Amino acid sequence: MTTTPTGGAPEYDPFTAPALPQAPSMPEVGPPTPFPKPPPISVLAKVSIVLGVVAALGLGSLAAWGISQAGRYSSVEAGKCLYLTDEAGGAQSYTTASCTSSRATFRIDDVRTGSAECRGSDYVQFELYGGSSSRKAEKTLCLALNVETGDCLRDVVHETRIAKVRCTDIGAEARVLVMRGSSESVCSPDDTALHYAGPPERTVCLRPTGENI
């Protein structure tokens, strides 16, 4: 054993000291494996039945195009009532209801064969198709507002959202006056007058809500 001149223990010499054991090397880590991409959505999965509604609804000129559930519309007839709902794919559907129900917002005044014009521009023209693949209307329902004098309405320009409400409701937009015959002169200048050929022939005045409501 080598000693220092003073006889003490030799100083540590990094060049002669035995090498310290090295820690085992870590394996190289590459970039993370990406998650597999989901398969693309098929066109059929994206497309729903598009036989329906190209709606241009404005008071005084109501129009709508719709679809029906298969087999349901064979029972629709003049004098029955219903309400409309939005369906997937931008179409509309209808549900029949008692004419005394608050949900029954429309009355069928006439049922016409094929794609046909109603007797007046104030009707909602609702076309019925036989199935999802049909491109030809089998019937046209001529829909009039199912209202009586004193009723109040909200969302009057949306055929699927229009509803009867209490006249004290904050959402009430119009109060109804119904007159038999062609009596648009009974409506005030601020009213919206709708004429229905019927039967019965009648005029509906939609009066904006105000202090008299």
Side-chain angles (χ1 to χ4, degrees):
M1 179 175 179
T2 306
T3 60
T4 61
T6 58
E11 294 181 358
Y12 173 74
D13 185 351
F15 298 101
T16 60
L20 295 175
Q22 295 182 353
S25 61
M26 298 295 292
E28 293 185 2
V29 179
T33 303
F35 290 104
K37 293 183 179 180
I41 300 175
S42 68
V43 173
L44 292 179
K46 294 179 180 179
V47 177
S48 56
I49 299 174
V50 185
L51 283 178
V53 176
V54 177
L57 177 60
L59 290 175
S61 179
L62 306 180
W65 312 99
I67 62 173
S68 70
Q69 288 88 359
R72 284 192 59 187
Y73 69 78
S74 58
S75 62
V76 296
E77 57 187 24
K80 299 289 186 179
C81 293
L82 52 81
Y83 60 90
L84 303 178
T85 52
D86 290 320
E87 300 295 324
Q92 286 180 346
S93 183
Y94 73 88
T95 302
T96 56
S98 169
C99 289
T100 59
S101 169
S102 61
R103 300 196 68 181
T105 47
F106 292 102
R107 179 185 185 274
I108 304 171
D109 266 13
D110 195 9
V111 180
R112 303 207 152 195
T113 302
S115 178
E117 293 291 328
C118 297
R119 293 182 298 160
S121 61
D122 294 334
Y123 283 104
V124 171
Q125 295 180 190
F126 193 82
E127 294 190 344
L128 303 179
Y129 295 82
S132 60
S133 60
S134 175
R135 294 181 176 273
K136 184 177 180 180
E138 295 189 6
K139 293 184 179 182
T140 298
L141 305 183
C142 299
L143 305 180
L145 287 178
N146 177 42
V147 290
E148 297 180 356
T149 296
D151 286 343
C152 286
L153 302 172
R154 64 170 171 81
D155 293 325
V156 293
V157 296
H158 301 284
E159 70 262 359
T160 59
R161 297 201 296 269
I162 188 171
K164 300 174 187 178
V165 296
R166 293 180 182 274
C167 292
T168 55
D169 191 299
I170 192 172
E173 296 174 353
R175 187 171 186 171
V176 176
L177 173 65
V178 180
M179 298 294 293
R180 289 296 182 94
S182 180
S183 308
E184 294 185 16
S185 60
V186 302
C187 299
S188 70
D190 293 332
D191 295 350
T192 296
L194 303 175
H195 178 251
Y196 298 125
E201 185 179 13
R202 61 208 183 277
T203 298
V204 175
C205 304
L206 299 182
R207 183 157 298 167
T209 56
E211 294 180 358
N212 61 326
I213 298 299

